[in-house]
Amino acid sequence: MEPYPASLLYAAKKLSGVARNKFKIVPSSSVTGAAYSVLSFQIPQGTIVDLQSLKLFLQVATASPGTAGIATDQVFARLPADITTMLQQVQVLCNGVLIGGSCTEYNSAYRLRKICASTFGRDQSIDRAVSHSTITDEEVNESGEFVVKDWLHTIFAGGREGASTRFLNTGIVGDITVRIQFSGNQVLCPKQKGEAMGVNFTTPEAATNATQMSWSYSDAYATIDAISMPPAYEDMLMAALAKGEQEIDYEEAYCWSLNNITGDAFEQRFSVSSRSLNKLFTGVRDSNYNTVGIKAHKLEDAIGDALVSNYQRFRMYPGPQYENNLWNYSLNGQLHPNFPAKLLEACADTAYVEDKMGVSGDGVLISSYADWKDGYGVVPLRLDLPIENALQSRLASGYDCRSTNASMSMSMRGMSVPAPPAGTGETAVRSAFSIAVTQPKLYIALGKTIAVSW
């Protein structure tokens, strides 16, 4: 038969006996909390859940009780871009076995990856509508209900980052628990009364009031979609389990920080043992990122959201000469790239690392080179092959370093040494943050037996 394209073929099939519904999940912990609180909930048992449909709903409120100075020294607490910034760590357990959650700064890892993986269209539409993707500067402490819906670096991630099996029969894996630790108050953005966000505080009293900001949540619950399938599907699944283990690939992230960078160069060392190391990302920010009350920064050449919270502001600190910074990753002594790379090359790879190629490829969240260097600075490295069709089902093609426990590093030289402007709260000390995106495999056997090959 001639190889005709699918658009010319006449074929239709029907899968009978399928039903679908959405379920509300009440947390097993308290539904209210504040900075550093822990929230836990369980995925429904004995059903087939759509892993990509998981959503967490939170009623969030900020407060700023500082009363120093006069009326114009009042400071309002505003939320950062993306409600996921409020999540410090996300852990997933199956039958008590940890299958995800190694990264202790989930929000920072999420930010670096989202800069490359997301698009303006998504960030300024559904993300802005329900997940607070944009910082706003109203003179009021912020409150509202928001949705955490994109679980990057977990088995619940969606889209190209999703698991190889989207619909998981929870009856064969046992109890699935999601455990979340929320972030501290340092992620909030202060807004002084009568002043634009991004400008310096006009008085020491206003700066003092900013350190009193806090946030809390209430009415927390999750939802997930579930389906029922015909008995023949259940029979097929049980027969497959009887013959051997079933496998699911998904993404996981590890993270490392290097603090107290004071010179014009640094080298951050770390090690990874993984069956498939797919991507590396690094960003550099002020060492004060964990300090409460530091002002947001306004980007001068941004399209869309021009405000970046201090916690999320990753910069390149370009050297005194144009494009003086040079960088490399090193994997077991092998340089990547194999030459000293310039900043512009890192910016260009922010689309390539997520396989957004060609003139029809999706864009990223960066709107200008200046914008990237001053607030969206991420240095990516790609080590895996693209997934070109559904039959590949998350083919593991990254760097296999299980037997070597790969010794790695990220180095940058030629950086400027900042002279902090007075009144900004900035320091001359920087902190590097790196993440490794890996592809573990979940093994499921009879008797709800779970194992993970990292």
Side-chain angles (χ1 to χ4, degrees):
M1 183 177 178
E2 294 294 331
Y4 296 114
S7 57
L8 282 173
L9 301 180
Y10 294 84
K13 295 181 179 180
K14 177 176 174 57
L15 180 61
S16 301
V18 178
R20 187 168 190 149
N21 208 338
K22 186 183 295 290
F23 293 87
K24 182 176 182 179
I25 306 170
V26 178
S28 54
S29 58
S30 175
V31 299
T32 64
Y36 300 114
S37 292
V38 174
L39 178 76
S40 297
F41 58 89
Q42 281 74 43
I43 303 301
Q45 256 290 314
T47 188
I48 302 173
V49 296
D50 182 354
L51 293 172
Q52 300 189 15
S53 70
L54 180 66
K55 298 177 180 65
L56 175 65
F57 293 78
L58 299 168
Q59 187 74 41
V60 178
T62 66
S64 184
T67 57
I70 60 177
T72 55
D73 295 322
Q74 184 178 5
V75 169
F76 305 97
R78 307 297 297 175
L79 291 171
D82 207 308
I83 199 64
T84 306
T85 309
M86 317 310 285
L87 278 54
Q88 185 72 24
Q89 187 172 21
V90 178
Q91 294 180 317
V92 183
L93 299 95
C94 279
N95 269 353
V97 177
L98 184 70
I99 67 167
S102 303
C103 184
T104 55
E105 279 194 43
Y106 178 82
N107 45 14
S108 298
Y110 181 96
R111 176 65 173 180
L112 287 181
R113 183 77 184 280
K114 183 180 177 180
I115 289 172
C116 303
S118 191
T119 65
F120 270 118
R122 184 173 178 83
D123 190 61
Q124 296 300 310
S125 56
I126 186 62
D127 287 0
R128 184 170 182 175
V130 302
S131 299
H132 198 277
S133 68
T134 301
I135 299 173
T136 55
D137 61 355
E138 286 86 354
E139 291 196 342
V140 62
N141 289 323
E142 198 157 3
S143 64
E145 188 171 22
F146 305 103
V147 185
V148 179
K149 55 181 173 48
D150 302 316
W151 304 89
L152 275 174
H153 310 139
T154 77
I155 199 169
F156 296 102
R160 290 177 295 193
E161 298 77 42
S164 58
T165 298
R166 175 170 172 172
F167 292 91
L168 175 64
N169 189 324
T170 58
I172 67 173
V173 298
D175 295 329
I176 302 178
T177 301
V178 180
R179 182 184 181 274
I180 298 168
Q181 182 179 24
F182 290 98
S183 64
N185 299 319
Q186 72 273 20
V187 301
L188 299 174
C189 304
K191 165 72 171 72
Q192 184 180 356
K193 187 174 183 178
E195 303 294 331
M197 285 191 76
V199 302
N200 299 339
F201 298 118
T202 58
T203 64
E205 290 77 13
T208 298
N209 289 336
T211 64
Q212 305 302 309
M213 297 186 303
S214 63
W215 76 280
S216 61
Y217 67 87
S218 60
D219 299 328
Y221 68 93
T223 65
I224 196 165
D225 281 31
I227 65 171
S228 63
M229 294 291 291
Y233 175 81
E234 186 80 11
D235 295 341
M236 178 189 70
L237 181 58
M238 292 300 105
L241 271 175
K243 292 180 180 179
E245 297 171 323
Q246 300 303 294
E247 304 172 353
I248 301 177
D249 277 23
Y250 57 98
E251 285 190 346
E252 167 71 331
Y254 299 88
C255 65
W256 303 267
S257 291
L258 176 66
N259 300 315
N260 300 315
I261 301 172
T262 57
D264 63 355
F266 72 88
E267 183 176 22
Q268 182 180 20
R269 297 179 180 273
F270 48 92
S271 62
V272 182
S273 178
S274 171
R275 61 186 289 270
S276 182
L277 173 59
N278 292 349
K279 307 174 196 300
L280 295 170
F281 299 87
T282 296
V284 183
R285 54 188 166 181
D286 198 306
S287 63
N288 70 358
Y289 74 96
N290 269 324
T291 302
V292 180
I294 306 299
K295 72 179 185 70
H297 178 71
K298 185 175 182 180
L299 300 170
E300 298 299 327
D301 193 25
I303 299 173
D305 188 8
L307 290 169
V308 181
S309 69
N310 183 66
Y311 188 87
Q312 296 173 320
R313 187 187 176 195
F314 291 97
R315 292 182 271 174
M316 287 295 102
Y317 296 94
Q321 299 179 14
Y322 181 70
E323 287 304 275
N324 198 36
N325 298 37
L326 298 174
W327 62 272
N328 287 101
Y329 286 97
S330 175
L331 280 65
N332 282 337
Q334 175 65 51
L335 292 180
H336 294 258
N338 68 353
F339 58 90
K342 299 188 298 183
L343 290 184
L344 188 62
E345 293 167 63
C347 186
D349 277 347
T350 55
Y352 177 70
V353 72
E354 299 294 344
D355 205 42
K356 299 178 177 181
M357 305 309 298
V359 294
S360 60
D362 292 330
V364 296
L365 293 188
I366 303 160
S367 59
S368 71
Y369 187 42
D371 168 16
W372 175 77
K373 289 188 291 184
D374 198 28
Y376 286 75
V378 53
V379 180
L381 179 68
R382 180 177 181 175
L383 298 168
D384 62 341
L385 296 176
I387 299 174
E388 297 178 346
N389 58 69
L391 295 177
Q392 291 179 334
S393 187
R394 288 209 62 85
L395 174 70
S397 59
Y399 180 41
D400 189 340
C401 50
R402 284 173 293 185
S403 60
T404 58
N405 194 28
S407 176
M408 305 183 184
S409 68
M410 196 283 174
S411 61
M412 185 174 289
R413 51 210 178 275
M415 305 169 67
S416 62
V417 179
T424 62
E426 296 180 18
T427 74
V429 184
R430 288 144 293 165
S431 176
F433 180 78
S434 293
I435 68 169
V437 178
T438 65
Q439 188 172 323
K441 183 186 292 291
L442 176 66
Y443 292 94
I444 306 168
L446 285 173
K448 302 179 181 178
T449 303
I450 299 298
V452 181
S453 172
W454 297 101

